[in-house]
């Protein structure tokens, strides 16, 4: 057996003419080590070795568009198509129905009889919808029988698999019975998938492509760089039924591992390929987020993921170790495509059976999903079970003001304005006369219509570049008083203003840790806070410069913010998740841990979602993450995490409470960076939630 663990093989550029005229530029996988991709190299190798010993012929693990592990057994190569068995239900069935929905050729809730008139007169079959076929909830009986080999089956079931003298589609249409009320429960059905292929083919007859093979080839596979030699479907040929050429979508396909991975990537990116829209994002969403009232628990044995339109999803957390957005396709002998959007992760496995005595999906969970999740080291916390993804407006929509200034801690004032502080610049236009290390400003309005006004204060303004000049790290208004933490003063110092920032008094200084503290903000003038306390986060170190291993948390009664001795420090989560506090700063414990990647935080309570949001920089210009929790002290889950979000070196991620929508699903991120982002940069973000 040959081993090519962590081999990074470059694909050849596709020859001219493979792409449609308006296709995106060719895409190629890049290469990375496991550590560079947020994995434990030791655990990835352990997973590879374990799968190699259990009949695996091909294993491909890709994260952030980089091949982390590509391994083939002796006699198997990257360009050799692998039989997919029922993984075709996703690669062919799931993708083709998504294209048909995207093109408006059919809708998920359409009755199949609209496209198959032979069903119109059958009282049960007339009720069946496209979605019920695609999700195995149609009630159409399967062509399997107690694991009897296909060639030994008799009657219509045997005829279905022999595909001769009659075709499986006519058999599924006319002979396969409906054994329970459509939509009642999930029950695996190959004839149901055959009727999905029949339905989609009938629906696309008015278009340029008339069959599933040409639809997939022209609309999907060629545009995403899959060469014709890398795949086949339909057992190699169609069945002719009336005027339709029908290709099997339940089996009979072969794809190279990389071709399979490209389909996974297209689904992960919701139909976008290198900036070209291949399938409408809403169509992908309909397929993966389809909800049914049918009973689906353990519908094909233990650890069965929920069936959706051609795919299977972990939305019910059937696999506890994996995020809820994980979805998969699977076929006999454990042909697997696993996609986890929140981790930007794609896995392809081909081979013989994994050899487990467990049910199919329980074997996948045990041998692939759980050890794979155990190998992930980045992000530092598991993906959120509430926030499916965070979408940002395109770079072209970023609003940039106060060019040349950065930092921007902020709070929502009692007068409905946002109060903020800038660093190393001259503030908003019109600029102040000289560069300040720390200046103040007031922001009025809501994006896209807002303006900043510089506030002048002799008692607050400071000069000095970078670490040599004091800068604000956190701001909060409570009962009409502005509070401000000022870093670069030997840890950090507290200041406050009772006249909306015109004059300031200076108070105590932290002498241990809390070198870059920020306040947890709630609503206007601290409205909506659930208790009597004010909360303060900081990276656990005396300086704002350089990432630390963890963040720490303090609290103080809101009427005693100015009293150093009134502060308590988070120690740990105790029984039932309650916070344990100490009056001794030396007894503090980590409230958030990301070793070597915790620098400069911001925190806000998202009232609409009922969640605390924590923005954490991973190091100046080294990426950042957004985390959510039910309490200020956690437990944390990852809503968003990136090592490179495509804007160059950025920093100082702020979450203005005023700019959160009432339902909590939209907000604005304020950040800074190197040019052109050395400014007050506002970028809209949308929180996409899991169905509840």
């Amino acid at each position: 057996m040959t081993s090519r663990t962590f081999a990074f093989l470059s694909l050849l550029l596709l020859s001219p003419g493979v792409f449609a005229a308006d296709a995106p530029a060719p895409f190629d996988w890049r290469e990375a080590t496991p550590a560079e991709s947020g994995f434990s190299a030791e655990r990835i190798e352990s997973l590879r070795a374990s799968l190699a010993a259990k009949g695996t012929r091909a294993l491909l693990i890709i994260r952030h568009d980089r091949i982390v592990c590509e391994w083939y057994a002796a006699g198997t190569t990257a360009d050799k198509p692998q039989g997919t068995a029922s993984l075709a239900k996703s690669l062919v069935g799931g993708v083709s129905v998504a294209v048909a929905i995207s093109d408006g050729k059919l809708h998920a809730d359409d009755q199949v009889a609209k496209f198959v008139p032979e069903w119109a007169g059958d009282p049960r079959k007339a009720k069946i919808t496209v979605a019920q076929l695609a999700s195995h909830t149609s009630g159409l009986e399967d062509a399997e029988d107690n694991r009897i080999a296909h060639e030994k089956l008799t009657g219509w079931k045997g005829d279905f698999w022999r595909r001769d003298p009659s075709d499986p589609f006519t058999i599924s249409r006319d002979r396969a019975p409906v054994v329970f009320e459509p939509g009642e429960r999930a029950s695996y059905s190959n004839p149901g998938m055959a009727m999905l292929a029949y339905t989609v083919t009938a629906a696309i007859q008015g278009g340029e492509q008339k069959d599933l093979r040409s639809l997939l080839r022209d609309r999907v596979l060629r545009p995403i760089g899959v060469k014709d030699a890398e795949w086949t479907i339909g057992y190699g040929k169609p069945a002719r039924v009336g005027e339709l050429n029908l290709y099997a979508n339940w089996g009979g396909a072969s794809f190279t591992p990389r071709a399979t991975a490209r389909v996974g990537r297209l689904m992960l990116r919701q139909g976008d390929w290198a900036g070209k829209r291949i399938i409408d994002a809403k169509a992908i969403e309909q397929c993966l987020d389809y909800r049914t009232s049918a009973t689906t628990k353990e519908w094909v044995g233990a650890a069965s993921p929920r069936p959706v339109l051609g795919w299977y999803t972990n939305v019910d957390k059937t696999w506890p170790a994996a995020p809820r957005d994980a979805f998969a396709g699977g076929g006999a002998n454990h042909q697997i495509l696993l996609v986890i959007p929140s981790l930007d992760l794609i896995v392809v496995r081909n081979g013989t059976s994994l050899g487990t005595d467990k049910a199919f999906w329980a074997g996948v969970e045990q041998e692939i999903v759980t050890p794979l999740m155990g190998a992930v080291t980045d992000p530092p916390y598991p993906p959120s079970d509430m926030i499916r993804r965070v979408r940002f407006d395109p770079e072209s929509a970023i609003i940039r003001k106060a060019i040349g200034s950065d930092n921007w801690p902020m709070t929502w004032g009692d007068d409905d304005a946002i109060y903020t502080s800038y660093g190393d610049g001259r503030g908003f236009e019109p600029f102040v006369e000289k560069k300040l290390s720390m200046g103040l400003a007031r922001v009025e309005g809501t994006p896209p219509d807002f303006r900043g006004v510089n506030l002048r204060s002799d008692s607050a303004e400071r000069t000095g570049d970078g670490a040599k000049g004091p800068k604000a790290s956190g701001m909060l208004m409570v009962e009409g008083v502005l509070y401000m933490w000022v870093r670069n003063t030997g840890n950090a110092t507290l200041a406050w203003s009772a006249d909306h920032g015109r004059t300031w008094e200076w108070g105590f200084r932290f002498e241990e840790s809390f070198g870059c503290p920020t306040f947890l903000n709630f609503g206007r003038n601290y409205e909506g806070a659930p208790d009597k306390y004010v909360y303060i986060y900081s990276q656990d170190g005396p300086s704002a410069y350089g990432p630390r291993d963890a963040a720490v948390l303090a609290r103080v009664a809101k009427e005693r913010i100015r009293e150093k001795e009134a502060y308590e420090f988070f120690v740990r989560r105790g029984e039932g998740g309650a916070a344990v506090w100490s009056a001794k700063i030396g007894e503090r414990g980590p409230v958030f841990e990301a070793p070597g990647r915790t620098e400069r935080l911001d925190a806000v309570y998202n009232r609409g979602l009922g969640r605390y949001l924590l923005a954490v920089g991973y190091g100046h210009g080294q990426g950042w993450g957004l985390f959510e929790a039910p309490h200020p002290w956690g437990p944390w889950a990852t809503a968003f995490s990136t090592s490179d979000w495509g804007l160059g070196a950025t920093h100082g991620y702020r979450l203005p409470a005023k700019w959160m929508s009432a339902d909590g699903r939209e907000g604005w991120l304020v950040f800074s960076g190197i040019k052109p982002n050395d400014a007050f940069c506002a970028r809209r973000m949308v929180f996409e939630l899991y169905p509840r």
Side-chain angles (χ1 to χ4, degrees):
M1 180 177 292
T2 61
S3 175
R4 290 188 288 166
T5 310
F6 314 137
F8 309 111
L9 305 176
S10 299
L11 289 175
L12 295 174
L13 291 176
L14 294 176
S15 58
V18 170
F19 290 103
D22 60 346
F27 163 84
D28 203 355
W29 309 112
R30 292 180 285 171
E31 51 186 63
T33 65
E36 291 170 337
S37 300
F39 284 110
S40 160
E42 180 181 355
R43 291 188 177 187
I44 287 293
E45 169 57 17
S46 176
L47 172 62
R48 183 211 64 80
S50 174
L51 292 176
K54 293 172 180 160
T56 297
R57 290 193 301 267
L59 177 64
L60 182 57
I61 302 175
I62 298 168
R63 192 170 188 210
H64 305 319
D65 279 342
R66 292 163 172 84
I67 295 176
V68 176
C69 174
E70 185 170 31
W71 177 89
Y72 298 98
T76 301
T77 59
D79 58 358
K80 181 178 181 179
Q82 301 292 312
T84 64
S86 284
L87 177 52
K89 291 178 171 67
S90 300
L91 299 176
V92 182
V95 173
S96 63
V97 76
V99 173
I101 292 172
S102 177
D103 291 351
K105 300 297 185 181
L106 52 71
H107 301 283
D109 57 358
D110 281 343
Q111 291 181 330
V112 175
K114 176 180 177 180
F115 307 97
V116 184
E118 291 85 350
W119 277 13
D122 186 301
R124 270 190 161 177
K125 290 181 177 178
K127 299 178 183 178
I128 295 174
T129 66
V130 173
Q132 288 167 348
L133 291 177
S135 62
H136 299 280
T137 58
S138 69
L140 208 63
E141 187 175 2
D142 194 17
E144 303 278 3
D145 193 354
N146 295 322
R147 298 189 178 181
I148 297 174
H150 291 165
E151 64 272 15
K152 294 183 179 180
L153 290 168
T154 59
W156 72 266
K157 295 184 178 183
D159 293 343
F160 178 92
W161 294 109
R162 281 187 287 273
R163 306 188 300 281
D164 185 59
S166 184
D167 67 271
F169 302 96
T170 302
I171 292 168
S172 300
R173 184 190 68 193
D174 299 340
R175 295 171 62 188
V178 177
V179 293
F180 58 82
E181 195 67 19
E184 177 184 298
R185 56 188 171 88
S187 183
Y188 200 77
S189 178
N190 287 287
M193 293 303 296
M195 289 308 299
L196 179 67
Y198 194 134
T199 301
V200 172
T201 304
I204 65 174
Q205 289 309 293
E208 185 176 344
Q209 294 83 26
K210 308 293 185 183
D211 59 66
L212 296 191
R213 184 178 182 278
S214 61
L215 183 75
L216 293 176
R217 181 192 64 206
D218 299 343
R219 293 293 311 285
V220 178
L221 297 177
R222 284 181 176 176
I224 67 173
V226 177
K227 293 181 284 189
D228 293 354
E230 293 184 81
W231 65 285
T232 63
I233 66 168
Y235 300 96
K237 64 179 182 179
R240 185 73 175 178
V241 179
E243 299 299 316
L244 304 178
N245 283 326
L246 300 177
Y247 283 90
N249 66 353
W250 62 90
S254 295
F255 282 68
T256 65
R258 291 189 181 188
T260 297
R262 284 179 179 253
V263 174
R265 183 182 188 271
L266 180 67
M267 295 295 294
L268 184 152
R269 281 161 174 71
Q270 294 199 303
D272 176 87
W273 193 269
K276 174 71 176 180
R277 176 57 56 190
I278 306 297
I279 304 174
D280 185 73
K282 291 183 178 178
I284 301 287
E285 186 175 326
Q286 282 186 52
C287 291
L288 297 179
D289 289 350
Y290 173 69
R291 303 289 284 180
T292 175
S293 59
T295 302
T296 60
K297 184 176 176 60
E298 297 190 351
W299 67 286
V300 283
S304 301
R306 175 182 285 269
V308 287
L309 305 193
W311 301 85
Y312 311 99
T313 174
N314 193 44
V315 68
D316 299 319
K317 204 73 173 174
T318 308
W319 305 326
R324 289 182 68 196
D325 66 342
F327 63 92
N333 290 321
H334 296 107
Q335 319 306 321
I336 297 297
L337 168 60
L338 173 65
V339 181
I340 306 179
S342 58
L343 296 178
D344 198 14
L345 176 60
I346 302 166
V347 179
V348 179
R349 186 269 180 190
N350 296 115
T352 58
S353 173
L354 288 170
T356 176
D357 58 358
K358 296 180 178 293
F360 179 89
W361 288 111
V364 172
E365 179 190 19
Q366 174 181 284
E367 302 296 338
I368 298 176
V369 176
T370 299
L372 179 70
M373 292 300 97
V376 174
T377 59
D378 172 31
Y381 290 92
S384 170
D385 284 341
M386 170 181 278
I387 300 173
R388 183 170 193 161
R389 66 176 61 88
V390 182
R391 290 197 177 280
F392 296 94
D393 276 359
E395 181 178 357
S396 60
I398 295 173
I399 302 170
R400 297 178 176 91
K401 299 191 178 187
I403 306 302
S405 297
D406 62 11
N407 210 20
W408 310 116
M410 59 186 63
T411 191
W412 189 356
D414 58 350
D415 55 359
D416 202 35
I418 288 175
Y419 287 85
T420 186
S421 174
Y422 59 88
D424 292 339
R426 296 169 59 198
F428 286 93
E429 302 82 353
F431 300 126
V432 301
E433 70 281 359
K434 65 178 180 179
K435 183 177 180 180
L436 297 175
S437 173
M438 184 172 74
L440 301 171
R442 165 190 165 108
V443 179
E444 301 169 346
T446 301
D449 300 316
F450 70 92
R451 72 185 190 103
V453 178
N454 297 318
L455 297 178
R456 307 309 302 269
S457 173
D458 291 339
S459 54
E461 291 177 2
R462 296 291 188 271
T463 57
D465 281 339
K468 297 179 181 179
K471 292 175 175 61
S473 59
M475 296 191 79
L476 185 72
M477 179 171 276
V478 180
E479 296 179 353
V481 177
L482 271 175
Y483 292 90
M484 178 168 65
W485 287 111
V486 181
R487 59 181 172 88
N488 302 357
T489 57
N491 297 66
T493 303
L494 181 69
W496 59 88
S497 170
D499 56 7
H500 293 81
R502 289 185 290 274
T503 60
W504 291 81
E505 297 180 62
W506 292 75
F508 74 88
R509 178 170 61 88
F510 279 119
E511 297 174 351
E512 183 177 345
S513 188
F514 289 87
C516 189
T518 189
F519 290 104
L520 168 61
N521 270 270
F522 287 90
R524 177 174 176 173
N525 195 30
Y526 210 60
E527 290 177 358
D531 56 35
K532 65 179 183 179
Y533 292 102
V534 163
Y535 294 87
I536 302 99
Y537 296 90
S538 176
Q539 60 203 66
D540 189 13
S543 169
Y545 297 89
R548 311 293 292 193
D549 290 340
V552 288
L553 174 66
R555 72 175 184 179
V556 63
K558 62 183 180 181
E559 68 273 10
R560 301 184 67 190
I561 298 173
R562 306 171 197 180
E563 302 173 33
K564 185 177 182 180
E565 64 275 10
Y567 282 68
E568 296 180 309
F569 302 92
F570 176 81
V571 178
R572 65 181 185 280
R573 282 194 299 275
E575 187 175 349
V580 176
W581 303 90
S582 172
K584 298 178 181 179
I585 193 171
E587 294 181 353
R588 70 189 183 280
V591 72
F592 175 97
E593 294 183 89
R597 294 187 299 139
T598 306
E599 183 184 67
R600 304 191 188 179
L601 298 86
D602 198 44
V604 68
Y605 180 66
N606 185 319
R607 186 174 181 179
L609 300 186
R611 282 295 192 271
Y612 294 86
L613 302 181
L614 185 69
V616 181
Y618 293 156
H620 227 52
Q622 302 300 309
W624 68 287
L626 183 62
F627 303 88
E628 60 91 355
H631 307 287
W633 48 87
W636 300 103
T638 304
F640 172 81
S641 180
T642 181
S643 58
D644 178 6
W645 69 325
L647 297 180
T650 56
H651 62 85
Y653 308 96
R654 306 294 182 178
L655 305 166
K658 180 182 177 181
W659 292 351
M660 292 282 181
S661 64
D663 64 4
R665 293 173 180 250
E666 292 188 21
W668 288 78
L669 178 77
V670 173
F671 64 95
S672 302
I674 61 174
K675 293 181 179 179
N677 298 313
D678 185 16
F680 183 101
C681 302
R683 192 178 197 183
R684 191 176 75 102
M685 55 185 176
V686 176
F687 302 109
E688 294 188 5
L689 308 182
Y690 286 105
R692 297 182 181 179

